[in-house]
Amino acid sequence: MWVLRCERGRQWWEYQGALDDGGPGADAEQQRVRGLQQLALREIDERRTLYAKNRAQQRHAGDFVLRTLAKYNVCWDGNPRNRDETDADLHVVPAAIDQHDPLGAAVFRGVRFFGSLQMKDGHWPGDYGGPMFLMPFLIFACHATHTPLGEQHKHEMARYIRNMQNDEGGWGLHIEHHATMFGTVLNYVALRLLNVPADDATCTAARSWIRSHGGATGIPSWGKFWLAVLNLYDWRGLNPLTPEMWCLPYWLPIHPGRYWCHARQVYLPMSYIYGCQFSVPVDDLILSLREELFVQPFHQIEWSKMRNHCCQIDEYFKRPRVQKLFWGILAWYEWCPLFAPLRHALRRTGLRKVIDHVRQEDRNTKWIDIGPVNKVINFLCCFVDNADGADIELHRDRLKDYLWLAEDGMKMQGYNGSQLWDTAFAVQAITESPDIAAHFPNTIAAAHEYLDVAQVLEDVPERDSYYRHISKGAWPFSTSDHGWPISDCSSEGLKATLALQQREMLALIAKRPDAPSLISEERLFDCVNVILSFQNTKWPNCDGGWATYELTRSFAWLELLNPSEIFGDIMIDYTYVECSSACITALVAFQRHFPHHRKDEIADALARGAKFINSIQRADGSWYGSWAVCFTYGTWFGVEALVATGHALRDGCAELRLACEFLLSKQNADDGSWGESYLSSQQREYSQASEGQVVNTAWALLSLCRAEWPDSAPLDRAASFLLRMQMPNGDWPQQLISGVFNRNCMITYINYRCVFSIWALGAYRNYLAARAAPRVE
Ligand code: LAN
């Protein structure tokens, strides 16, 4: 049976062998647990069969392995205090709410259910899958580094890949995407490395898709890189990832130290492997794959002509001419014998610098690394540099942090989890209804503990030489071990902490027998310091907005050199409505608690920030959201920022009115819902989904409540939709994929369906209460 383990936010799935009957020596308690495990196992198996059979339900896996373990309270490190017998009566919907307050009752049932999923360290776990290119990379890296995956893991991984194959016979960039060369070739090779034979039906269908679309020569550049590592592509077929670029002077706008940290941290280890031109030895499987993947004989392929060749179906960002010119020059330097002596001399220096930066990133993140892509390439770099090094095992140990098990199988996640992010939102959602939160003191206290352990308390060592911003006081997206600071995660973490460290909630937390210590004022001040330091006010960007992990360090024209055909806007850290709004609202909340701390600086930051938010509002009143789908998400942040900086409809604020009118124009007439498709993100134009979506409806309802839209009728219809969609156990259904990055790739936020429904219903309940109460001016 699989067990979900957890430690200070770190979460991983472990296989503990088949269930036995406990044997004759088992005592009553052991037998009771065994019985529950059997029930859970049976339910999980049924779910899986249903899932694999029902194509319509596919791609909407709803974390039912976790939910089932939580329901029977077995095989997972859940929050035992949420199940405290003595608190059982606390969790019964009070009659007054149940009978007279349907909104309150829905919030209550939502919190009760969602609280039952909390881990013992106070964070909310969940499936952070979605992208279809990550697990193949991990499987390739394990193959190259002789890292065994284990039979159970391999079984679940193959199950996942099979479940995700679409009707065309291929795989896309993410679970809801049409087939692409990238997704199909990567998952095909991954299956073959998992010992699936070439004549298996899944493989045959995939192979015919690949071959009828021109073969694997047209795979996008990140795929070319991994195929070259596997000896399935020639290094001459890649545009050069010249490690010497790292030795350029930093003042050049194209210095890699100025890229968006994710692009930087991916191209860094790639350039090391490229610089060494490392490939695994050829064996029978590789020889066979060379025949399976290509339409022409492998040895007749003219590799140097493939550098800019990309299957049209995959191409989201088309290489501009100047980029091809740039690559042409680097390829000349790379392959022309004339330059060989110069290259040898420079390469040594380049490689030494690059591997030093790779190792520093490993140490800074305790071998988790900033994301799934650099995680496995850094691992490979360490192996290539020294296969017996002490860090090999440290890397191996952190692979499991990225793997998640659900009813669709085992997948690699987009990060080592979204622990802090989900917890910070959960806290804000629950504390929106303080009277209901009062029934869940254990949930609240545990969440506070997680906020406490997740904050980053130190800067990384020698941060300037490694192009790192300050981190001290920030909150990360996942865990403090990961530790990369993020502007909006810091802000959501700060808002959540402030929401808990106010009188009503403090009283709740302090009542617990093991009452946690509070997060000190000093630490809140450090967080504010980070938030202020993230605002863009100087060269090369003075728009007053906030980017993600760092300041914007170069110019948008660098995007002309974006080497990846499949992602947009990856080269620099741009300023976003989400990050900016989160920072603005956090500073406003902070100001309310500490009116004298850095008063003028904060006022200044808020004034510039508000101007930035105004400047990026679109003519139709909406904001484009970059990290979830899409205009409903962005507009929620836009509205929150406007309201926080003192704009109000009753004062005739035109921007706010326009934003609300935009939202209302997208409400579905039949059921009062909102439903936005991921195509909005890709195409940057609003695109309706086929059905109303819980999360879009919640964002729209939250926005209209915050703006205090005077006509309650559309809000009422939205709330009714959320009530109708709630399931009897208090959960909401998992619908379309709702997260996104780099315009083109989608990612699952499994907790949004609960968090935002609870939050929006709570906000609507407050909105109604405020209207019923006489206005105090
Ligand atoms: C994330 C996840 C969190 C997300 C928010 C905090 C929600 C956002 O408001 C700011 C950006 C951020 C931090 C973000 C950036 C891009 C990430 C790291 C991801 C979407 C998770 C996975 C993605 C990463 C880039 C995936 C690997 C792919 C590459 C192109 C390198």
Side-chain angles (χ1 to χ4, degrees):
M1 182 145 192
W2 287 94
V3 179
L4 176 59
R5 308 292 313 276
C6 125
E7 215 177 275
R8 289 169 64 88
R10 185 182 187 190
Q11 39 175 253
W12 70 99
W13 290 91
E14 233 169 59
Y15 188 73
Q16 302 226 316
L19 268 191
D20 53 41
D21 59 7
D27 62 23
E29 173 57 14
Q30 277 168 336
Q31 273 179 10
R32 188 187 68 89
V33 172
R34 204 64 58 160
L36 292 174
Q37 286 173 336
Q38 254 150 15
L39 286 176
L41 206 55
R42 196 170 321 140
E43 214 169 286
I44 290 170
D45 273 345
E46 271 166 23
R47 261 290 164 180
R48 282 186 160 158
T49 317
L50 199 75
Y51 181 86
K53 269 201 208 135
N54 180 356
R55 291 201 74 85
Q57 196 197 319
Q58 270 182 26
R59 295 167 222 301
H60 307 309
D63 242 342
F64 277 100
V65 176
L66 168 73
R67 276 161 167 71
T68 310
L69 298 186
K71 175 172 155 192
Y72 293 102
N73 200 19
V74 288
C75 296
W76 77 304
D77 294 348
N79 180 1
R81 294 174 305 172
N82 274 343
R83 304 179 168 275
D84 204 337
E85 304 279 289
T86 56
D87 281 344
D89 50 338
L90 273 180
H91 288 194
V92 176
V93 190
I97 296 184
D98 208 17
Q99 285 151 20
H100 308 293
D101 179 3
L103 285 170
V107 172
F108 193 103
R109 278 191 281 270
V111 177
R112 183 175 57 192
F113 172 78
F114 192 55
S116 78
L117 301 181
Q118 192 180 25
M119 301 299 285
K120 68 165 190 263
D121 63 6
H123 89 269
W124 272 270
D127 182 336
Y128 198 45
M132 280 310 297
F133 57 96
L134 299 174
M135 198 162 63
F137 290 174
L138 176 132
I139 292 169
F140 303 163
C142 288
H143 178 77
T145 58
H146 316 299
T147 303
L149 279 164
E151 283 313 307
Q152 289 297 329
H153 278 79
K154 281 161 77 172
H155 180 76
E156 290 300 333
M157 288 173 170
R159 180 211 296 277
Y160 178 69
I161 297 179
R162 286 181 198 276
N163 273 333
M164 291 302 126
Q165 186 175 38
N166 60 29
D167 294 335
E168 301 166 79
W171 294 267
L173 192 54
H174 55 83
I175 55 176
E176 291 187 11
H177 208 206
H178 56 73
T180 61
M181 190 58 76
F182 192 55
T184 307
V185 170
L186 294 178
N187 284 286
Y188 179 87
V189 177
L191 273 181
R192 299 283 285 118
L193 290 176
L194 292 172
N195 305 331
V196 177
D199 58 4
D200 176 280
T202 310
C203 290
T204 328
R207 202 164 53 240
S208 81
W209 191 94
I210 295 170
R211 300 179 70 98
S212 65
H213 289 83
T217 47
I219 195 170
S221 57
W222 290 20
K224 290 186 167 75
F225 170 83
W226 274 107
L227 290 187
V229 168
L230 294 178
N231 226 325
L232 294 170
Y233 216 90
D234 192 288
W235 286 106
R236 282 175 194 265
L238 271 79
N239 280 320
L241 298 163
T242 316
E244 291 84 284
M245 286 276 287
W246 285 83
C247 301
L248 293 173
Y250 186 74
W251 54 260
L252 281 176
I254 61 161
H255 188 282
R258 296 181 176 276
Y259 301 169
W260 183 42
C261 54
H262 278 280
R264 180 166 91 232
Q265 292 293 348
V266 166
Y267 286 107
L268 174 80
M270 270 191 185
S271 76
Y272 183 78
I273 301 295
Y274 181 86
C276 308
Q277 311 224 322
F278 169 85
S279 300
V280 305
V282 177
D283 59 15
D284 288 349
L285 179 58
I286 301 293
L287 284 177
S288 173
L289 279 166
R290 284 182 176 181
E291 282 180 13
E292 293 161 36
L293 293 173
F294 300 96
V295 287
Q296 58 280 67
F298 190 76
H299 287 290
Q300 284 172 22
I301 297 172
E302 284 191 78
W303 293 107
S304 60
K305 297 219 170 108
M306 298 302 156
R307 285 195 292 107
N308 291 314
H309 173 45
C310 176
C311 178
Q312 262 190 9
I313 295 178
D314 289 53
E315 203 166 40
Y316 179 69
F317 173 75
K318 213 169 159 53
R319 283 187 209 298
R321 259 217 224 107
V322 336
Q323 189 183 131
K324 291 189 186 160
L325 184 72
F326 176 78
W327 294 126
I329 297 169
L330 284 182
W332 189 42
Y333 162 77
E334 190 68 36
W335 301 106
C336 176
L338 212 65
F339 292 119
L342 174 70
R343 214 176 47 235
H344 280 305
L346 295 180
R347 181 115 324 164
R348 292 238 316 269
T349 323
L351 285 177
R352 221 179 301 129
K353 172 144 189 182
V354 166
I355 193 76
D356 176 49
H357 278 247
V358 165
R359 288 233 153 81
Q360 190 73 1
E361 156 76 352
D362 287 347
R363 278 189 295 270
N364 286 342
T365 59
K366 312 249 183 335
W367 289 268
I368 299 166
D369 296 321
I370 194 172
V373 182
N374 85 325
K375 160 68 191 167
V376 295
I377 314 180
N378 279 21
F379 177 25
L380 183 62
C381 287
C382 292
F383 179 83
V384 171
D385 184 44
N386 176 8
D388 303 315
D391 45 5
I392 300 296
E393 282 311 316
L394 294 166
H395 257 300
R396 285 196 176 125
D397 180 53
R398 286 294 189 171
L399 289 170
K400 57 178 178 282
D401 297 43
Y402 280 97
L403 296 172
W404 187 261
L405 186 76
E407 65 266 36
D408 50 357
M410 179 168 268
K411 59 200 80 175
M412 189 180 198
Q413 309 191 91
Y415 222 70
N416 67 323
S418 51
Q419 295 85 327
L420 182 278
W421 188 247
D422 284 325
T423 306
F425 274 151
V427 164
Q428 296 178 71
I430 297 171
T431 52
E432 180 75 31
S433 311
D435 58 328
I436 290 176
H439 294 270
F440 300 92
N442 296 323
T443 309
I444 297 283
H448 182 272
E449 273 170 65
Y450 191 66
L451 294 172
D452 182 13
V453 302
Q455 194 180 14
V456 186
L457 302 179
E458 298 291 342
D459 290 338
V460 296
E462 298 175 73
R463 62 176 189 82
D464 280 333
S465 346
Y466 293 96
Y467 314 111
R468 290 290 304 264
H469 194 84
I470 58 168
S471 326
K472 186 180 176 191
W475 267 279
F477 182 67
S478 54
T479 62
S480 58
D481 277 356
H482 181 292
W484 273 83
I486 304 174
S487 66
D488 57 353
C489 298
S490 302
S491 300
E492 300 301 344
L494 180 62
K495 281 188 280 177
T497 307
L498 292 173
L500 293 184
Q501 299 199 353
Q502 46 151 323
R503 218 179 313 121
E504 275 168 301
M505 294 299 137
L506 271 185
L508 273 185
I509 297 174
K511 257 199 281 175
R512 309 316 305 159
D514 47 355
S517 54
L518 293 186
I519 298 173
S520 68
E521 277 184 10
E522 267 322 296
R523 281 169 57 183
L524 302 183
F525 296 168
D526 286 342
C527 181
V528 165
N529 185 50
V530 171
I531 295 174
L532 289 172
S533 77
F534 271 135
Q535 189 174 29
N536 281 286
T537 57
K538 293 198 195 76
W539 184 92
N541 176 6
C542 26
D543 65 12
W546 280 263
T548 61
Y549 294 73
E550 288 159 348
L551 290 165
T552 309
R553 296 178 177 176
S554 191
F555 302 94
W557 55 254
L558 209 58
E559 216 54 56
L560 291 171
L561 298 184
N562 171 359
S564 87
E565 306 88 333
I566 47 183
F567 300 119
D569 292 345
I570 67 164
M571 292 302 282
I572 59 167
D573 208 339
Y574 295 90
T575 43
Y576 297 99
V577 66
E578 295 98 316
C579 300
S580 305
S581 164
C583 292
I584 290 171
T585 49
L587 289 175
V588 169
F590 176 83
Q591 232 179 8
R592 243 179 259 134
H593 284 76
F594 302 96
H596 305 298
H597 185 80
R598 297 178 75 170
K599 186 167 171 237
D600 298 337
E601 279 169 88
I602 292 179
D604 213 38
L606 287 174
R608 288 181 198 236
K611 239 193 235 150
F612 172 73
I613 297 284
N614 274 325
S615 75
I616 55 167
Q617 186 176 23
R618 297 171 41 128
D620 62 6
S622 69
W623 283 266
Y624 173 86
S626 296
W627 306 106
V629 179
C630 174
F631 291 97
T632 40
Y633 185 65
T635 303
W636 169 52
F637 280 102
V639 166
E640 289 273 5
L642 288 185
V643 172
T645 48
H647 299 76
L649 283 177
R650 81 182 96 84
D651 304 333
C653 174
E655 290 83 2
L656 209 48
R657 167 163 301 276
L658 206 57
C660 293
E661 282 167 356
F662 169 82
L663 288 174
L664 292 169
S665 75
K666 304 295 180 196
Q667 188 173 24
N668 289 323
D670 49 343
D671 61 3
S673 69
W674 276 260
E676 207 179 342
S677 144
Y678 78 77
L679 296 174
S680 284
S681 309
Q682 230 176 56
Q683 297 160 357
R684 305 190 194 215
E685 276 316 318
Y686 195 95
S687 171
Q688 286 285 359
S690 51
E691 271 180 352
Q693 302 291 308
V694 164
V695 290
N696 297 131
T697 307
W699 291 325
L701 177 56
L702 264 172
S703 312
L704 294 169
C705 291
R706 288 289 183 263
E708 301 178 19
W709 185 253
D711 172 17
S712 68
L715 286 77
D716 200 58
R717 289 167 8 87
S720 306
F721 175 77
L722 293 178
L723 294 181
R724 271 200 311 281
M725 292 297 279
Q726 191 175 27
M727 307 197 292
N729 66 352
D731 196 2
W732 277 269
Q734 179 60 31
Q735 300 174 284
L736 295 176
I737 196 158
S738 58
V740 60
F741 56 90
N742 306 126
R743 317 282 168 239
N744 198 31
C745 192
M746 310 307 297
I747 189 159
T748 304
Y749 283 88
I750 206 92
N751 290 323
Y752 279 9
R753 66 198 214 238
C754 289
V755 166
F756 288 108
S757 301
I758 291 171
W759 198 344
L761 289 172
Y764 181 55
R765 187 163 165 260
N766 294 340
Y767 162 98
L768 289 181
R771 283 161 67 97
R775 226 201 144 74
V776 201
E777 287 293 346

